[in-house]
Amino acid sequence: MIRWLLRAVVAAGLLGSAWVHYVVWQDWASGTDVVGPLFLVNVVAGVVIAVAVLVWHHWLPALAAIGFGLATLGAYVLSLTTGFFGVSERFTTQAELWGLITEVACVVFALPLLRNREGTDR
């Protein structure tokens, strides 16, 4: 039951992050050369990994969720500090807050899923 709940929270985090990136892409990122396409990659990856976390009870989707969260958080930190492909953020919007929350959830709640006997839930 706990593992199912963890999977649901991780999937919600992934889908939440995908949604935030889609909304921001529609708002302004679609007009940027590198970041715009990367936001769409994030949308698709978030959905695909969320489905994998829910249906494939293996440690690999959990690892992918952690990698997704860390990579997205890393790109965001770069955009806050040095800039990321010409994009500089200031942490002023609600979308940025929700993105941060969802991506941290991906990492924090997927970590316990890595410990999995024989590769499947029982």
PDB file of all heavy atoms in Angstrom, residues 7-38:
ATOM      1  N   ARG A   7       4.207   5.647  -5.517  1.00  0.00           N
ATOM      2  CA  ARG A   7       4.113   5.699  -6.986  1.00  0.00           C
ATOM      3  C   ARG A   7       3.125   6.766  -7.433  1.00  0.00           C
ATOM      4  O   ARG A   7       3.386   7.509  -8.388  1.00  0.00           O
ATOM      5  CB  ARG A   7       3.712   4.347  -7.551  1.00  0.00           C
ATOM      6  CG  ARG A   7       4.788   3.320  -7.455  1.00  0.00           C
ATOM      7  CD  ARG A   7       4.374   2.001  -8.126  1.00  0.00           C
ATOM      8  NE  ARG A   7       5.370   1.007  -7.860  1.00  0.00           N
ATOM      9  CZ  ARG A   7       6.575   0.972  -8.434  1.00  0.00           C
ATOM     10  NH1 ARG A   7       6.908   1.891  -9.290  1.00  0.00           N
ATOM     11  NH2 ARG A   7       7.434   0.029  -8.120  1.00  0.00           N
ATOM     12  N   ALA A   8       1.996   6.858  -6.759  1.00  0.00           N
ATOM     13  CA  ALA A   8       0.983   7.857  -7.112  1.00  0.00           C
ATOM     14  C   ALA A   8       1.512   9.274  -6.905  1.00  0.00           C
ATOM     15  O   ALA A   8       1.287  10.159  -7.749  1.00  0.00           O
ATOM     16  CB  ALA A   8      -0.281   7.627  -6.293  1.00  0.00           C
ATOM     17  N   VAL A   9       2.229   9.501  -5.811  1.00  0.00           N
ATOM     18  CA  VAL A   9       2.776  10.837  -5.539  1.00  0.00           C
ATOM     19  C   VAL A   9       3.868  11.188  -6.557  1.00  0.00           C
ATOM     20  O   VAL A   9       3.924  12.317  -7.055  1.00  0.00           O
ATOM     21  CB  VAL A   9       3.301  10.930  -4.087  1.00  0.00           C
ATOM     22  CG1 VAL A   9       4.045  12.230  -3.860  1.00  0.00           C
ATOM     23  CG2 VAL A   9       2.154  10.790  -3.104  1.00  0.00           C
ATOM     24  N   VAL A  10       4.716  10.234  -6.883  1.00  0.00           N
ATOM     25  CA  VAL A  10       5.761  10.473  -7.882  1.00  0.00           C
ATOM     26  C   VAL A  10       5.121  10.776  -9.239  1.00  0.00           C
ATOM     27  O   VAL A  10       5.514  11.732  -9.925  1.00  0.00           O
ATOM     28  CB  VAL A  10       6.731   9.273  -7.987  1.00  0.00           C
ATOM     29  CG1 VAL A  10       7.667   9.427  -9.178  1.00  0.00           C
ATOM     30  CG2 VAL A  10       7.526   9.131  -6.701  1.00  0.00           C
ATOM     31  N   ALA A  11       4.129   9.998  -9.628  1.00  0.00           N
ATOM     32  CA  ALA A  11       3.444  10.246 -10.900  1.00  0.00           C
ATOM     33  C   ALA A  11       2.774  11.614 -10.898  1.00  0.00           C
ATOM     34  O   ALA A  11       2.827  12.345 -11.896  1.00  0.00           O
ATOM     35  CB  ALA A  11       2.414   9.145 -11.177  1.00  0.00           C
ATOM     36  N   ALA A  12       2.169  11.993  -9.780  1.00  0.00           N
ATOM     37  CA  ALA A  12       1.547  13.318  -9.683  1.00  0.00           C
ATOM     38  C   ALA A  12       2.606  14.423  -9.810  1.00  0.00           C
ATOM     39  O   ALA A  12       2.367  15.443 -10.470  1.00  0.00           O
ATOM     40  CB  ALA A  12       0.795  13.445  -8.358  1.00  0.00           C
ATOM     41  N   GLY A  13       3.762  14.212  -9.193  1.00  0.00           N
ATOM     42  CA  GLY A  13       4.848  15.181  -9.320  1.00  0.00           C
ATOM     43  C   GLY A  13       5.323  15.318 -10.761  1.00  0.00           C
ATOM     44  O   GLY A  13       5.532  16.426 -11.262  1.00  0.00           O
ATOM     45  N   LEU A  14       5.483  14.191 -11.419  1.00  0.00           N
ATOM     46  CA  LEU A  14       5.906  14.206 -12.820  1.00  0.00           C
ATOM     47  C   LEU A  14       4.881  14.895 -13.708  1.00  0.00           C
ATOM     48  O   LEU A  14       5.227  15.726 -14.558  1.00  0.00           O
ATOM     49  CB  LEU A  14       6.141  12.776 -13.310  1.00  0.00           C
ATOM     50  CG  LEU A  14       7.364  12.075 -12.734  1.00  0.00           C
ATOM     51  CD1 LEU A  14       7.238  10.563 -12.875  1.00  0.00           C
ATOM     52  CD2 LEU A  14       8.623  12.578 -13.416  1.00  0.00           C
ATOM     53  N   LEU A  15       3.610  14.558 -13.523  1.00  0.00           N
ATOM     54  CA  LEU A  15       2.553  15.169 -14.332  1.00  0.00           C
ATOM     55  C   LEU A  15       2.401  16.655 -14.008  1.00  0.00           C
ATOM     56  O   LEU A  15       2.136  17.467 -14.899  1.00  0.00           O
ATOM     57  CB  LEU A  15       1.232  14.427 -14.131  1.00  0.00           C
ATOM     58  CG  LEU A  15       1.205  12.999 -14.663  1.00  0.00           C
ATOM     59  CD1 LEU A  15      -0.101  12.307 -14.278  1.00  0.00           C
ATOM     60  CD2 LEU A  15       1.399  12.979 -16.174  1.00  0.00           C
ATOM     61  N   GLY A  16       2.579  16.996 -12.730  1.00  0.00           N
ATOM     62  CA  GLY A  16       2.521  18.405 -12.347  1.00  0.00           C
ATOM     63  C   GLY A  16       3.633  19.210 -12.990  1.00  0.00           C
ATOM     64  O   GLY A  16       3.406  20.306 -13.503  1.00  0.00           O
ATOM     65  N   SER A  17       4.829  18.668 -12.983  1.00  0.00           N
ATOM     66  CA  SER A  17       5.951  19.342 -13.618  1.00  0.00           C
ATOM     67  C   SER A  17       5.728  19.459 -15.123  1.00  0.00           C
ATOM     68  O   SER A  17       6.001  20.505 -15.724  1.00  0.00           O
ATOM     69  CB  SER A  17       7.253  18.583 -13.343  1.00  0.00           C
ATOM     70  OG  SER A  17       8.335  19.209 -13.996  1.00  0.00           O
ATOM     71  N   ALA A  18       5.226  18.393 -15.733  1.00  0.00           N
ATOM     72  CA  ALA A  18       4.926  18.434 -17.168  1.00  0.00           C
ATOM     73  C   ALA A  18       3.896  19.522 -17.467  1.00  0.00           C
ATOM     74  O   ALA A  18       4.038  20.274 -18.448  1.00  0.00           O
ATOM     75  CB  ALA A  18       4.429  17.072 -17.641  1.00  0.00           C
ATOM     76  N   TRP A  19       2.879  19.617 -16.645  1.00  0.00           N
ATOM     77  CA  TRP A  19       1.831  20.627 -16.852  1.00  0.00           C
ATOM     78  C   TRP A  19       2.406  22.036 -16.715  1.00  0.00           C
ATOM     79  O   TRP A  19       2.124  22.909 -17.544  1.00  0.00           O
ATOM     80  CB  TRP A  19       0.674  20.415 -15.880  1.00  0.00           C
ATOM     81  CG  TRP A  19      -0.389  21.451 -16.059  1.00  0.00           C
ATOM     82  CD1 TRP A  19      -0.657  22.496 -15.245  1.00  0.00           C
ATOM     83  CD2 TRP A  19      -1.309  21.542 -17.145  1.00  0.00           C
ATOM     84  NE1 TRP A  19      -1.697  23.235 -15.749  1.00  0.00           N
ATOM     85  CE2 TRP A  19      -2.107  22.672 -16.922  1.00  0.00           C
ATOM     86  CE3 TRP A  19      -1.524  20.772 -18.291  1.00  0.00           C
ATOM     87  CZ2 TRP A  19      -3.120  23.060 -17.796  1.00  0.00           C
ATOM     88  CZ3 TRP A  19      -2.533  21.161 -19.160  1.00  0.00           C
ATOM     89  CH2 TRP A  19      -3.313  22.281 -18.918  1.00  0.00           C
ATOM     90  N   VAL A  20       3.198  22.268 -15.676  1.00  0.00           N
ATOM     91  CA  VAL A  20       3.814  23.582 -15.480  1.00  0.00           C
ATOM     92  C   VAL A  20       4.663  23.954 -16.693  1.00  0.00           C
ATOM     93  O   VAL A  20       4.574  25.079 -17.202  1.00  0.00           O
ATOM     94  CB  VAL A  20       4.663  23.606 -14.186  1.00  0.00           C
ATOM     95  CG1 VAL A  20       5.566  24.833 -14.143  1.00  0.00           C
ATOM     96  CG2 VAL A  20       3.768  23.573 -12.959  1.00  0.00           C
ATOM     97  N   HIS A  21       5.446  23.019 -17.179  1.00  0.00           N
ATOM     98  CA  HIS A  21       6.300  23.318 -18.328  1.00  0.00           C
ATOM     99  C   HIS A  21       5.473  23.565 -19.592  1.00  0.00           C
ATOM    100  O   HIS A  21       5.848  24.403 -20.419  1.00  0.00           O
ATOM    101  CB  HIS A  21       7.328  22.207 -18.544  1.00  0.00           C
ATOM    102  CG  HIS A  21       8.462  22.320 -17.592  1.00  0.00           C
ATOM    103  ND1 HIS A  21       8.420  21.781 -16.322  1.00  0.00           N
ATOM    104  CD2 HIS A  21       9.655  22.951 -17.688  1.00  0.00           C
ATOM    105  CE1 HIS A  21       9.534  22.065 -15.697  1.00  0.00           C
ATOM    106  NE2 HIS A  21      10.313  22.774 -16.500  1.00  0.00           N
ATOM    107  N   TYR A  22       4.355  22.883 -19.737  1.00  0.00           N
ATOM    108  CA  TYR A  22       3.486  23.134 -20.889  1.00  0.00           C
ATOM    109  C   TYR A  22       2.862  24.524 -20.811  1.00  0.00           C
ATOM    110  O   TYR A  22       2.835  25.255 -21.807  1.00  0.00           O
ATOM    111  CB  TYR A  22       2.396  22.058 -20.981  1.00  0.00           C
ATOM    112  CG  TYR A  22       1.487  22.268 -22.160  1.00  0.00           C
ATOM    113  CD1 TYR A  22       1.961  22.096 -23.456  1.00  0.00           C
ATOM    114  CD2 TYR A  22       0.166  22.668 -21.982  1.00  0.00           C
ATOM    115  CE1 TYR A  22       1.138  22.307 -24.551  1.00  0.00           C
ATOM    116  CE2 TYR A  22      -0.660  22.877 -23.060  1.00  0.00           C
ATOM    117  CZ  TYR A  22      -0.176  22.698 -24.339  1.00  0.00           C
ATOM    118  OH  TYR A  22      -0.994  22.916 -25.415  1.00  0.00           O
ATOM    119  N   VAL A  23       2.390  24.910 -19.635  1.00  0.00           N
ATOM    120  CA  VAL A  23       1.783  26.227 -19.456  1.00  0.00           C
ATOM    121  C   VAL A  23       2.814  27.332 -19.715  1.00  0.00           C
ATOM    122  O   VAL A  23       2.536  28.314 -20.406  1.00  0.00           O
ATOM    123  CB  VAL A  23       1.161  26.364 -18.047  1.00  0.00           C
ATOM    124  CG1 VAL A  23       0.783  27.794 -17.730  1.00  0.00           C
ATOM    125  CG2 VAL A  23      -0.040  25.440 -17.920  1.00  0.00           C
ATOM    126  N   VAL A  24       4.024  27.150 -19.166  1.00  0.00           N
ATOM    127  CA  VAL A  24       5.073  28.148 -19.373  1.00  0.00           C
ATOM    128  C   VAL A  24       5.507  28.164 -20.843  1.00  0.00           C
ATOM    129  O   VAL A  24       5.785  29.232 -21.401  1.00  0.00           O
ATOM    130  CB  VAL A  24       6.270  27.890 -18.426  1.00  0.00           C
ATOM    131  CG1 VAL A  24       7.434  28.809 -18.741  1.00  0.00           C
ATOM    132  CG2 VAL A  24       5.833  28.063 -16.977  1.00  0.00           C
ATOM    133  N   TRP A  25       5.538  27.007 -21.480  1.00  0.00           N
ATOM    134  CA  TRP A  25       5.870  26.962 -22.907  1.00  0.00           C
ATOM    135  C   TRP A  25       4.857  27.778 -23.698  1.00  0.00           C
ATOM    136  O   TRP A  25       5.236  28.562 -24.574  1.00  0.00           O
ATOM    137  CB  TRP A  25       5.914  25.519 -23.403  1.00  0.00           C
ATOM    138  CG  TRP A  25       6.223  25.422 -24.866  1.00  0.00           C
ATOM    139  CD1 TRP A  25       7.454  25.486 -25.449  1.00  0.00           C
ATOM    140  CD2 TRP A  25       5.285  25.275 -25.931  1.00  0.00           C
ATOM    141  NE1 TRP A  25       7.339  25.378 -26.818  1.00  0.00           N
ATOM    142  CE2 TRP A  25       6.014  25.242 -27.134  1.00  0.00           C
ATOM    143  CE3 TRP A  25       3.904  25.153 -25.981  1.00  0.00           C
ATOM    144  CZ2 TRP A  25       5.409  25.112 -28.369  1.00  0.00           C
ATOM    145  CZ3 TRP A  25       3.289  25.015 -27.217  1.00  0.00           C
ATOM    146  CH2 TRP A  25       4.046  24.992 -28.400  1.00  0.00           C
ATOM    147  N   GLN A  26       3.568  27.593 -23.387  1.00  0.00           N
ATOM    148  CA  GLN A  26       2.529  28.366 -24.079  1.00  0.00           C
ATOM    149  C   GLN A  26       2.661  29.860 -23.787  1.00  0.00           C
ATOM    150  O   GLN A  26       2.408  30.686 -24.665  1.00  0.00           O
ATOM    151  CB  GLN A  26       1.137  27.914 -23.652  1.00  0.00           C
ATOM    152  CG  GLN A  26       0.707  26.604 -24.235  1.00  0.00           C
ATOM    153  CD  GLN A  26      -0.717  26.271 -23.847  1.00  0.00           C
ATOM    154  OE1 GLN A  26      -1.119  26.417 -22.701  1.00  0.00           O
ATOM    155  NE2 GLN A  26      -1.488  25.834 -24.821  1.00  0.00           N
ATOM    156  N   ASP A  27       3.047  30.195 -22.556  1.00  0.00           N
ATOM    157  CA  ASP A  27       3.123  31.587 -22.131  1.00  0.00           C
ATOM    158  C   ASP A  27       4.278  32.336 -22.805  1.00  0.00           C
ATOM    159  O   ASP A  27       4.080  33.409 -23.372  1.00  0.00           O
ATOM    160  CB  ASP A  27       3.241  31.641 -20.606  1.00  0.00           C
ATOM    161  CG  ASP A  27       3.161  33.051 -20.069  1.00  0.00           C
ATOM    162  OD1 ASP A  27       2.406  33.867 -20.637  1.00  0.00           O
ATOM    163  OD2 ASP A  27       3.842  33.343 -19.071  1.00  0.00           O
ATOM    164  N   TRP A  28       5.496  31.802 -22.726  1.00  0.00           N
ATOM    165  CA  TRP A  28       6.631  32.526 -23.296  1.00  0.00           C
ATOM    166  C   TRP A  28       7.726  31.652 -23.902  1.00  0.00           C
ATOM    167  O   TRP A  28       8.479  32.104 -24.767  1.00  0.00           O
ATOM    168  CB  TRP A  28       7.272  33.454 -22.249  1.00  0.00           C
ATOM    169  CG  TRP A  28       7.880  32.739 -21.083  1.00  0.00           C
ATOM    170  CD1 TRP A  28       7.293  32.514 -19.883  1.00  0.00           C
ATOM    171  CD2 TRP A  28       9.178  32.133 -21.004  1.00  0.00           C
ATOM    172  NE1 TRP A  28       8.139  31.804 -19.060  1.00  0.00           N
ATOM    173  CE2 TRP A  28       9.310  31.573 -19.720  1.00  0.00           C
ATOM    174  CE3 TRP A  28      10.251  32.026 -21.889  1.00  0.00           C
ATOM    175  CZ2 TRP A  28      10.455  30.903 -19.308  1.00  0.00           C
ATOM    176  CZ3 TRP A  28      11.392  31.352 -21.469  1.00  0.00           C
ATOM    177  CH2 TRP A  28      11.483  30.810 -20.190  1.00  0.00           C
ATOM    178  N   ALA A  29       7.870  30.418 -23.464  1.00  0.00           N
ATOM    179  CA  ALA A  29       9.035  29.621 -23.864  1.00  0.00           C
ATOM    180  C   ALA A  29       8.981  29.156 -25.312  1.00  0.00           C
ATOM    181  O   ALA A  29      10.023  28.825 -25.884  1.00  0.00           O
ATOM    182  CB  ALA A  29       9.204  28.422 -22.931  1.00  0.00           C
ATOM    183  N   SER A  30       7.802  29.126 -25.905  1.00  0.00           N
ATOM    184  CA  SER A  30       7.716  28.653 -27.295  1.00  0.00           C
ATOM    185  C   SER A  30       8.494  29.548 -28.248  1.00  0.00           C
ATOM    186  O   SER A  30       8.876  29.115 -29.329  1.00  0.00           O
ATOM    187  CB  SER A  30       6.253  28.566 -27.734  1.00  0.00           C
ATOM    188  OG  SER A  30       5.649  29.848 -27.694  1.00  0.00           O
ATOM    189  N   GLY A  31       8.766  30.778 -27.842  1.00  0.00           N
ATOM    190  CA  GLY A  31       9.501  31.703 -28.693  1.00  0.00           C
ATOM    191  C   GLY A  31      11.003  31.670 -28.517  1.00  0.00           C
ATOM    192  O   GLY A  31      11.706  32.425 -29.178  1.00  0.00           O
ATOM    193  N   THR A  32      11.508  30.801 -27.648  1.00  0.00           N
ATOM    194  CA  THR A  32      12.958  30.739 -27.443  1.00  0.00           C
ATOM    195  C   THR A  32      13.540  29.560 -28.221  1.00  0.00           C
ATOM    196  O   THR A  32      12.906  28.522 -28.357  1.00  0.00           O
ATOM    197  CB  THR A  32      13.306  30.602 -25.949  1.00  0.00           C
ATOM    198  OG1 THR A  32      12.770  29.388 -25.450  1.00  0.00           O
ATOM    199  CG2 THR A  32      12.759  31.770 -25.149  1.00  0.00           C
ATOM    200  N   ASP A  33      14.764  29.741 -28.689  1.00  0.00           N
ATOM    201  CA  ASP A  33      15.371  28.736 -29.573  1.00  0.00           C
ATOM    202  C   ASP A  33      15.662  27.409 -28.887  1.00  0.00           C
ATOM    203  O   ASP A  33      15.292  26.364 -29.384  1.00  0.00           O
ATOM    204  CB  ASP A  33      16.665  29.279 -30.183  1.00  0.00           C
ATOM    205  CG  ASP A  33      16.398  30.380 -31.197  1.00  0.00           C
ATOM    206  OD1 ASP A  33      15.302  30.391 -31.783  1.00  0.00           O
ATOM    207  OD2 ASP A  33      17.285  31.230 -31.392  1.00  0.00           O
ATOM    208  N   VAL A  34      16.323  27.410 -27.771  1.00  0.00           N
ATOM    209  CA  VAL A  34      16.738  26.161 -27.125  1.00  0.00           C
ATOM    210  C   VAL A  34      15.776  25.768 -26.013  1.00  0.00           C
ATOM    211  O   VAL A  34      15.348  24.616 -25.926  1.00  0.00           O
ATOM    212  CB  VAL A  34      18.182  26.274 -26.575  1.00  0.00           C
ATOM    213  CG1 VAL A  34      18.584  25.027 -25.819  1.00  0.00           C
ATOM    214  CG2 VAL A  34      19.165  26.552 -27.708  1.00  0.00           C
ATOM    215  N   VAL A  35      15.428  26.713 -25.178  1.00  0.00           N
ATOM    216  CA  VAL A  35      14.607  26.408 -24.009  1.00  0.00           C
ATOM    217  C   VAL A  35      13.197  25.975 -24.415  1.00  0.00           C
ATOM    218  O   VAL A  35      12.619  25.079 -23.788  1.00  0.00           O
ATOM    219  CB  VAL A  35      14.579  27.611 -23.047  1.00  0.00           C
ATOM    220  CG1 VAL A  35      13.615  27.386 -21.892  1.00  0.00           C
ATOM    221  CG2 VAL A  35      15.980  27.869 -22.507  1.00  0.00           C
ATOM    222  N   GLY A  36      12.645  26.562 -25.450  1.00  0.00           N
ATOM    223  CA  GLY A  36      11.305  26.179 -25.898  1.00  0.00           C
ATOM    224  C   GLY A  36      11.192  24.691 -26.214  1.00  0.00           C
ATOM    225  O   GLY A  36      10.348  23.990 -25.654  1.00  0.00           O
ATOM    226  N   PRO A  37      12.040  24.165 -27.095  1.00  0.00           N
ATOM    227  CA  PRO A  37      11.999  22.727 -27.362  1.00  0.00           C
ATOM    228  C   PRO A  37      12.304  21.871 -26.129  1.00  0.00           C
ATOM    229  O   PRO A  37      11.717  20.810 -25.944  1.00  0.00           O
ATOM    230  CB  PRO A  37      13.073  22.528 -28.444  1.00  0.00           C
ATOM    231  CG  PRO A  37      13.142  23.845 -29.134  1.00  0.00           C
ATOM    232  CD  PRO A  37      12.898  24.870 -28.068  1.00  0.00           C
ATOM    233  N   LEU A  38      13.213  22.354 -25.260  1.00  0.00           N
ATOM    234  CA  LEU A  38      13.511  21.593 -24.044  1.00  0.00           C
ATOM    235  C   LEU A  38      12.293  21.522 -23.119  1.00  0.00           C
ATOM    236  O   LEU A  38      12.086  20.508 -22.446  1.00  0.00           O
ATOM    237  CB  LEU A  38      14.704  22.207 -23.309  1.00  0.00           C
ATOM    238  CG  LEU A  38      16.072  22.004 -23.952  1.00  0.00           C
ATOM    239  CD1 LEU A  38      17.149  22.753 -23.178  1.00  0.00           C
ATOM    240  CD2 LEU A  38      16.404  20.526 -24.064  1.00  0.00           C
TER     241      LEU A  38
END
